[in-house]
Amino acid sequence: MRRTVSLLFMLLMGASLGLAQTAKTRIAIIGLDHDHVWGLLPTIAKTPEADLVAIAEPNPALVTKAKAKVPASVKFFSTYTEMLDQAKPEAVIVTTANNRHLEILRACAQRHVHFFTEKPMASTAADAREMERVAHEAGITLMVNYWNAWAPATQEGYARLKAGEIGPIQKMIIEFGHEGPKEIGVSKEFGAWLYDPEKNGAGALMDFACYGADWAIWLKGRPERVFARSLKLKTAQHNAVEDDAVVVLEYADATAILLPSWDWPYGKNQAEFYGPKGSLLVMGDGLLFQPAHKGTTAKDPDGTLVASKPLPPEKLNGVAYYLACIRNHRPVEGPVTPEVNVGVNEIIDAAKESIRTGRAVELPANH
């Protein structure tokens, strides 16, 4: 009898554990005034492990728009604190102005709710450092999402660069940006804070230098010094922030040149790396290799296409990776870690100081 009861207990416990492992993760969204959220909603919907339970947003027009795109079961709240307390999500996706990230993280940390934000990590390096500290002390997962991190060419390019296929990296030229937020038609809610130096942290410098800084730190670590200049080329718009910048990161054995801009005549998302054995050009939709000693031509200026391996399911997008880390109790790795992104914010702070003074700025000692 005792053996039968014991076996029954073990079977019930096994079934219970199986249910726990397959249960979906309760996710909530905080903020709808960041246009990236409209791409994240369908990603959440097609992620089997995700259960979107709530959205916090005070703007009635944005709430109406979201209600047409999510299941009727999703509850809406005007404040995120009310949502955290009533909906009790296990994890949040934050799509708000950059200067709100720290305050929201603090509220999540108090309730042991995991935190995902669209890049950049914060509007200032001081906020980013505090976010890292608070998340670490609370034991919650903190992730900073970059769309390009989940492009197969990015992962393939990184693996080849770390394997030394072009030798030691000596130069990086990283170009990200587009024609400008107003020109590409961002929502008025998104534009309201993108052009605000306090809410965004800067203009094109913050919006797109973070991609280059993220690549540079991921591959080479923190640079020694930062030099930058910026321009306001769209003078007729009277914007409070710059629309074009050049940022130079100085390493002992390499230079990274970041070209973030809202003045490209078309969208740009590419990172080119040079070493003694050749170059690799990483783009959102492909990877090109040019060997050393082979001169470039008009027909083949950037090299030949290199096949990129398919990514595993947990790396197909930021939501899948975030949930894989949470559900499997794994640390976040790669370009989306808080450690890398504190450095990203420190580079952007140094660039702003260099623009102000006209001098190169040394980065603070690694914290």
Side-chain angles (χ1 to χ4, degrees):
M1 179 66 178
R2 184 177 297 173
R3 178 179 173 81
T4 302
V5 170
S6 177
L7 284 170
L8 181 61
F9 176 77
M10 290 173 69
L11 287 169
L12 289 170
M13 283 297 293
S16 175
L17 286 170
L19 286 171
Q21 288 171 351
T22 57
K24 293 184 176 184
T25 300
R26 295 170 59 81
I27 289 181
I29 290 173
I30 298 178
L32 295 171
D33 58 349
H34 189 315
D35 283 359
H36 287 193
V37 73
W38 308 112
L40 288 167
L41 285 175
T43 299
I44 295 168
K46 69 182 181 184
T47 303
E49 299 81 10
D51 180 17
L52 180 62
V53 297
I55 294 175
E57 171 57 53
N59 185 315
L62 293 177
V63 168
T64 298
K65 181 178 178 180
K67 282 184 175 179
K69 298 178 181 292
V70 300
S73 59
V74 176
K75 293 181 169 58
F76 284 79
F77 298 84
S78 59
T79 69
Y80 66 83
T81 50
E82 181 185 21
M83 183 202 70
L84 291 171
D85 289 336
Q86 294 190 28
K88 298 190 181 304
E90 299 167 78
V92 298
I93 291 176
V94 177
T95 41
T96 67
N98 299 332
N99 69 333
R100 298 187 61 203
H101 294 174
L102 174 58
E103 63 167 90
I104 296 169
L105 175 69
R106 283 183 172 137
C108 291
Q110 289 171 2
R111 298 161 175 83
H112 200 78
V113 175
H114 303 292
F115 185 101
F116 164 125
T117 183
E118 285 292 276
K119 65 80 189 170
M121 187 164 167
S123 60
T124 68
D127 276 12
R129 286 189 291 266
E130 182 65 4
M131 288 173 69
E132 182 187 30
R133 185 192 69 79
V134 170
H136 177 74
E137 288 189 358
I140 62 172
T141 297
L142 166 57
M143 179 179 138
V144 183
N145 190 48
Y146 289 77
W147 70 265
N148 65 307
W150 318 113
T154 296
Q155 298 286 337
E156 183 74 26
Y158 177 80
R160 289 172 178 266
L161 289 164
K162 294 302 282 187
E165 288 199 8
I166 66 167
I169 299 170
Q170 298 168 335
K171 190 180 296 294
M172 299 175 262
I173 302 175
I174 305 170
E175 302 171 351
F176 272 77
H178 50 51
E179 302 95 311
K182 293 176 182 177
E183 287 75 9
I184 67 170
V186 302
S187 68
K188 67 178 186 297
E189 294 86 2
F190 193 21
W193 64 262
L194 273 179
Y195 289 95
D196 186 310
E198 295 300 320
K199 293 178 179 179
N200 190 8
L205 176 66
M206 181 64 77
D207 196 14
F208 286 113
C210 58
Y211 288 99
D214 191 60
W215 258 118
I217 293 177
W218 190 25
L219 280 167
K220 294 284 290 183
R222 293 159 60 86
E224 296 174 352
R225 299 200 310 168
V226 178
F227 178 78
R229 77 182 294 258
S230 67
L231 293 168
K232 290 184 182 180
L233 296 177
K234 300 179 189 294
T235 54
Q237 292 185 2
H238 305 290
N239 296 319
V241 292
E242 79 294 332
D243 49 63
D244 189 80
V246 177
V247 183
V248 179
L249 310 183
E250 301 177 11
Y251 292 87
D253 60 350
T255 302
I257 303 165
L258 317 184
L259 300 172
S261 183
W262 288 343
D263 293 301
W264 293 112
Y266 39 74
K268 295 277 281 186
N269 56 81
Q270 63 181 57
E272 194 154 17
F273 306 93
Y274 297 86
K277 298 180 183 179
S279 67
L280 277 170
L281 173 61
V282 183
M283 304 181 75
D285 60 352
L287 178 66
L288 296 167
F289 172 67
Q290 183 76 6
H293 313 304
K294 180 184 178 183
T296 57
T297 65
K299 183 181 177 182
D300 189 22
D302 298 311
T304 55
L305 192 64
V306 176
S308 298
K309 299 181 187 69
L311 297 180
E314 69 271 16
K315 287 190 175 181
L316 291 178
N317 57 67
V319 174
Y321 183 71
Y322 178 48
L323 292 183
C325 290
I326 292 170
R327 294 167 67 86
N328 296 295
H329 308 288
R330 294 201 307 249
V332 171
E333 296 179 339
V336 297
T337 64
E339 295 82 8
V340 167
N341 282 280
V342 166
V344 168
N345 269 114
E346 288 178 339
I347 284 173
I348 294 173
D349 270 15
K352 290 193 286 186
E353 179 65 11
S354 176
I355 290 165
R356 187 185 72 82
T357 63
R359 301 188 181 95
V361 175
E362 291 188 9
L363 282 192
N366 203 350
H367 63 290

